[in-house]
Amino acid sequence: MSGDDETAATPRLPASRLIAPGLYLVATPIGNLGDITLRALDVLKQADRIACEDTRQTQKLLNHFEISTPTVSCHEHNERQRTVELMELLKTGGRVALVSDAGMPGISDPGGWLAAEAIAAGVPVIPIPGANAALTALVASGLPLGEFLFLGFLPEKAGARRSRLEALAAEIGEAARTLIFYEAPHRILETLADLEAVWGPELRVVVARELTKIHEEFLRGTAAEIRRELAGRDRVRGEIVLLVEARPLKEADAEAGTPLRIADRVVRLQTEVGIDEKEALKRLARELGQSKSEVYRELQRERARRK
Ligand code: SAM
């Protein structure tokens, strides 16, 4: 690291001097306020305006650091309209700091549109790096770091989510890589069950919960182990990054050495436990934390694929 002013994108200026005009994309903490950077504080103090995903959320941060810069909302529902107004200010030499509720603006958050418009208009766009949930989780996951794919949130609907994961598994091809998702606590069990159904129970996953906060937690293990651990809790709470060591399907199949598909598991239950298909589906649904109809639909899909 260099403290040399000549190498810095934004030279360190005395607090009394204004930062250069332009759009500043400012990362804010993802939980622990100690993760704000000195440059972020300088920019937030000296900007003409702070464009926020949620002004109330950002106000808490500003109050904590005794910053009184005026704020304006800029969220997914008004980003385009707000961009027109902010561009007026930026084109006349204004200084705008853009922040989201947490982490890097633009990463599964608003911000990309305003940044693109500013670049197109020749306005300087200056990133102020800092906390980001995906990378924070990745570096401490223990999963391979060489190649990773950040995928944001999976679709909320069960069918669309499963299709997305199947498409991803097909796209992985020969290259193993770490996949990074953002996931809501009330969907994590279903998503782990989907991952298991697509890649098999031996898939290595990491659930990174409440990063940088008091109850920060990393759960590392197979999809089946982590799902069992979380299913045993009263309720899964907090913010979650889900990481997956995605490997080519054939490799995952061979390593697991067990049947991966619903169809195989149904047959296994029928023969080993001596129950009929309907009962086997019921049990599997319970085990996977899914509804019977979802498991049945998956069985039908697999049978169609095997024809
Ligand atoms: N822009 C943010 C960033 O740079 O990380 C992400 C915003 S996205 C709307 C919010 C999601 O990020 C959460 O639902 C969760 O999946 C993840 N996330 C944010 N803060 C987190 C934290 N402290 N611990 C774990 N996951 C977090």
Side-chain angles (χ1 to χ4, degrees), residues 1-12 39:
M1 201 177 102
S2 165
D4 184 350
D5 279 351
E6 286 176 10
T7 63
T10 313
R12 252 181 159 296
R39 274 182 88 205

Side-chain angles (χ1 to χ4, degrees), residues 9-23:
T10 313
R12 252 181 159 296
L13 299 167
S16 56
R17 287 233 349 246
L18 271 185
I19 51 172
L23 173 65

Side-chain angles (χ1 to χ4, degrees), residues 49-305:
R49 198 150 316 156
I50 303 174
C52 320
E53 182 182 4
D54 179 344
T55 50
R56 286 162 307 180
Q57 191 64 27
T58 301
Q59 199 55 54
K60 291 184 211 158
L61 181 80
L62 299 180
N63 291 346
H64 182 86
F65 290 107
E66 299 179 349
I67 294 172
S68 53
T69 308
T71 59
V72 61
S73 71
C74 182
H75 45 69
E76 62 172 323
H77 304 295
N78 74 353
E79 188 178 3
R80 298 198 176 199
Q81 171 54 35
R82 193 63 89 199
T83 292
V84 177
E85 298 161 29
L86 292 171
M87 284 305 297
E88 290 301 310
L89 177 58
L90 287 165
K91 281 182 193 162
T92 54
R95 298 151 179 86
V96 174
L98 176 71
V99 297
S100 65
D101 286 352
M104 294 291 287
I107 303 299
S108 293
D109 266 342
W113 180 259
L114 177 59
E117 289 289 299
I119 292 163
V123 168
V125 173
I126 304 116
I128 305 295
N132 162 257
L135 291 180
T136 303
L138 176 68
V139 293
S141 67
L143 298 181
L145 304 177
E147 275 193 43
F148 59 87
L149 204 54
F150 171 68
L151 294 149
F153 289 95
L154 281 162
E156 286 177 25
K157 292 220 168 91
R161 186 174 57 234
R162 178 68 70 85
S163 304
R164 177 81 179 110
L165 289 174
E166 283 169 352
L168 279 169
E171 279 167 28
I172 290 299
E174 294 305 304
R177 51 175 71 112
T178 299
L179 310 183
I180 311 173
F181 301 100
Y182 287 157
E183 190 50 286
H186 60 275
R187 273 196 299 273
I188 187 69
L189 290 178
E190 287 175 29
T191 300
L192 287 168
D194 283 340
L195 287 169
E196 220 181 291
V198 173
W199 269 282
E202 297 305 312
L203 177 75
R204 277 177 76 202
V205 305
V206 176
V207 166
R209 217 174 55 78
E210 295 289 84
L211 291 164
T212 78
K213 304 182 197 175
I214 295 170
H215 299 294
E216 176 177 279
E217 175 180 47
F218 280 86
L219 295 170
R220 304 177 178 90
T222 68
E225 286 165 354
I226 304 304
R227 190 172 52 75
R228 262 197 305 276
E229 162 65 33
L230 290 175
R233 299 183 180 184
D234 283 349
R235 209 174 118 193
V236 184
R237 294 165 201 271
E239 297 189 282
I240 290 175
V241 181
L242 171 63
L243 304 103
V244 173
E245 186 185 20
R247 284 189 281 154
L249 278 183
K250 274 194 219 122
E251 204 181 294
D253 280 1
E255 191 157 307
T258 53
L260 301 177
R261 307 286 161 205
I262 299 285
D264 294 326
R265 295 172 76 168
V266 165
V267 171
R268 207 188 207 193
L269 275 172
Q270 285 179 272
T271 50
E272 286 180 8
V273 189
I275 50 178
D276 63 12
E277 182 176 294
K278 204 166 148 209
E279 187 55 32
L281 280 170
K282 214 152 100 190
R283 283 203 187 187
L284 261 183
R286 249 199 325 267
E287 247 178 57
L288 296 171
Q290 292 180 325
S291 72
K292 229 169 52 195
S293 56
E294 273 169 342
V295 177
Y296 182 68
R297 266 202 307 278
E298 174 58 18
L299 179 67
Q300 299 296 75
R301 274 205 294 260
E302 285 177 13
R303 284 181 175 159
R305 275 200 300 266

